[in-house]
Amino acid sequence: IVESNNSRLLGLINQILDLSRIDSGVAEFTEEKINVHDFITELHTNYSTFSHDNIKIVVKENLKEGILYSDRNRIFQILSNFINNSLKFTERGIIEIGAIEYPENFEFYIADTGIGISKEKISTIFERFSKIDSFSPGAGLGLAICKSLTEKLGGTISVNSEQGRGSCFKITLPK
């Protein structure tokens, strides 16, 4: 119990520090060449162990080619947060990982068949300390960090969700 609580506290402290670094402009970003197909495959490999009888983590759309110049670690951080949220709020069904290339940008998405988000909460979901309800795990900082990181990478973040039918979180990043 102590170890579990220590882990949660450390996670919260790290989130607060991450937000502070981003806000103060000292967060580091490293642009590199990213093969999007390999990136999505790596992300899926890292989370495929979470698949079980009730939840399958799948890759829906994965580009055979496609190069993005951005910060690999920050994109991984954002998408990992989306997947972790999907795992928290999906009891059964599918968590889908995908990437779509457009002429000017790439769209990465994580879609799930979880509990979804009510219309009232959608407009505040990316704000600090915003939670689906007071019983939801976490401090409500993860999606605020995702939004800040996405904006620092020059992209946009969005969500489509219907309560009881799942959610789809997306980031769109310039090439």
Side-chain angles (χ1 to χ4, degrees):
I1 292 172
V2 171
E3 188 174 321
S4 175
N5 286 335
N6 283 342
S7 231
R8 268 189 241 129
L9 183 58
L10 181 60
L12 177 60
I13 291 168
N14 284 332
Q15 286 182 329
I16 292 168
L17 289 173
D18 225 5
L19 271 174
S20 297
R21 281 188 213 104
I22 295 165
D23 287 349
S24 66
V26 297
E28 294 183 18
F29 293 85
T30 306
E31 187 173 289
E32 62 186 284
K33 182 179 177 181
I34 302 167
N35 177 309
V36 176
H37 172 79
D38 293 347
F39 179 83
I40 292 297
T41 300
E42 177 187 348
L43 186 66
H44 178 255
T45 300
N46 276 320
Y47 282 94
S48 62
T49 58
F50 291 93
S51 286
H52 53 76
D53 289 342
N54 293 334
I55 299 175
K56 298 290 180 223
I57 300 177
V58 300
V59 174
K60 173 70 177 203
E61 297 179 75
N62 193 1
L63 308 167
K64 298 299 178 211
E65 297 179 20
I67 300 297
L68 171 66
Y69 291 90
S70 193
D71 190 315
R72 171 187 270 285
N73 292 330
R74 295 303 186 166
I75 298 169
F76 202 91
Q77 180 181 358
I78 295 164
L79 297 178
S80 291
N81 186 279
F82 291 168
I83 294 170
N84 288 327
N85 282 347
S86 289
L87 287 166
K88 277 192 253 184
F89 298 108
T90 304
E91 289 184 15
R92 63 179 49 248
I94 294 173
I95 297 173
E96 183 180 303
I97 302 169
I100 303 169
E101 183 174 11
Y102 296 103
E104 301 294 319
N105 54 46
F106 284 93
E107 178 182 271
F108 295 90
Y109 68 88
I110 306 298
D112 64 53
T113 56
I115 63 171
I117 305 166
S118 69
K119 289 180 183 179
E120 301 80 40
K121 292 289 184 178
I122 289 278
S123 63
T124 63
I125 200 71
F126 296 111
E127 293 176 9
R128 293 176 186 190
F129 305 108
S130 177
K131 295 172 65 167
I132 291 175
D133 59 48
S134 58
F135 302 108
S136 305
L141 293 173
L143 292 176
I145 292 170
C146 290
K147 180 180 181 197
S148 294
L149 289 173
T150 301
E151 289 171 352
K152 292 288 184 187
L153 294 171
T156 58
I157 190 169
S158 63
V159 61
N160 294 317
S161 186
E162 189 177 330
Q163 198 163 16
R165 298 185 57 104
S167 301
C168 182
F169 285 84
K170 299 176 186 180
I171 59 169
T172 303
L173 300 172
K175 290 182 174 179

